[in-house]
Amino acid sequence: MIAVLIPLATPAAAELRLPCLWNPFGGCSFTFVSSEYEKRPVQPPQAALASVNSFRVANGVKALVLDERLSRAASMQSQAQAKSGWMGHYGPGGSTPKDRAARTGYHAKIASENVASGQRSFGDAMHFWEESPGHRTNLLRPNVTAIGVGMAKTSRGHPYWTLVLGAE
C-alpha cells in the first residue's frame, strides 16, 4: 500500500500530525504544514493565558495565573530549540523544565512542559496540544497554579513554542 500526502492550503486543514512511535506515553508528535500556512506571519503569544484558562475551565479545572519567571523558562527552551532546530524537553546541558524554572527563581514542586514547532500562533499550538493526549494531560493538571509561555524563531522564521505549567 502506498500513501500519498498532499498538503492542504486551508488554515483549518493545514497540518498533518504523525505520532512519535518511540514515545510510549503518547505526548509527542510531528506536524507538517502546507507551504501557504508556513508563509503566514507568526503571531505573538499575547492571548496564551486566556486560551489556556478557557480550555481548563471548560474541562472543569481551575484557571491559572501567568508567571513571568515561567515565561522566561519557556523562552529559554524556545530559544534553544530555534537555535538547534531540534524540538524536545531537554535543553542545553540536559536541563529539564524544572531546572530551567529554578534558573529563573521559580521554585517548582511541579514543572511540566508542552513544546510545538511550526504553528504560526499560540492558538494553533494550543489546538495541537488539546488534541494530543500527553499535552492535553499537562494542560489539565489540577495541581498546577501558573503558566509561562515562550516563542522563538529560527533565522528563517520557523517558530518554536514552549508552554511551562508549574506550581511552587
Side-chain angles (χ1 to χ4, degrees):
M1 174 189 222
I2 297 175
V4 177
L5 302 177
I6 300 171
L8 302 172
T10 61
E15 63 181 284
L16 168 68
R17 281 181 252 159
L18 300 174
C20 294
L21 300 176
W22 61 86
N23 185 346
F25 304 107
C28 143
S29 62
F30 292 101
T31 301
F32 300 98
V33 296
S34 70
S35 59
E36 290 82 8
Y37 180 84
E38 184 69 26
K39 290 175 187 172
R40 288 174 46 197
V42 174
Q43 299 170 355
Q46 297 167 329
L49 181 64
S51 182
V52 169
N53 282 339
S54 175
F55 180 71
R56 286 176 60 88
V57 170
N59 284 279
V61 185
K62 67 179 176 169
L64 305 175
V65 299
L66 186 63
D67 189 284
E68 181 57 37
R69 297 166 297 170
L70 290 179
S71 288
R72 286 194 313 268
S75 291
M76 279 183 213
Q77 185 66 352
S78 289
Q79 290 168 9
Q81 292 178 116
K83 184 177 179 181
S84 70
W86 180 82
M87 186 174 73
H89 297 289
Y90 290 100
S95 67
T96 65
K98 195 170 184 178
D99 296 333
R100 291 185 293 279
R103 288 181 194 156
T104 67
Y106 191 91
H107 306 288
K109 292 179 184 170
I110 300 166
S112 57
E113 178 179 79
N114 285 355
V115 296
S117 173
Q119 292 80 3
R120 303 312 269 184
S121 68
F122 183 84
D124 288 348
M126 184 69 183
H127 176 73
F128 166 75
W129 292 328
E130 290 171 8
E131 299 298 318
S132 166
H135 295 108
R136 183 181 180 90
T137 296
N138 281 345
L139 289 169
L140 296 176
R141 287 186 186 278
N143 50 355
V144 297
T145 58
I147 65 164
V149 64
M151 187 273 290
K153 296 185 285 183
T154 65
S155 60
R156 301 183 92 173
H158 185 85
Y160 284 85
W161 297 92
T162 305
L163 175 70
V164 178
L165 300 99
E168 286 187 295

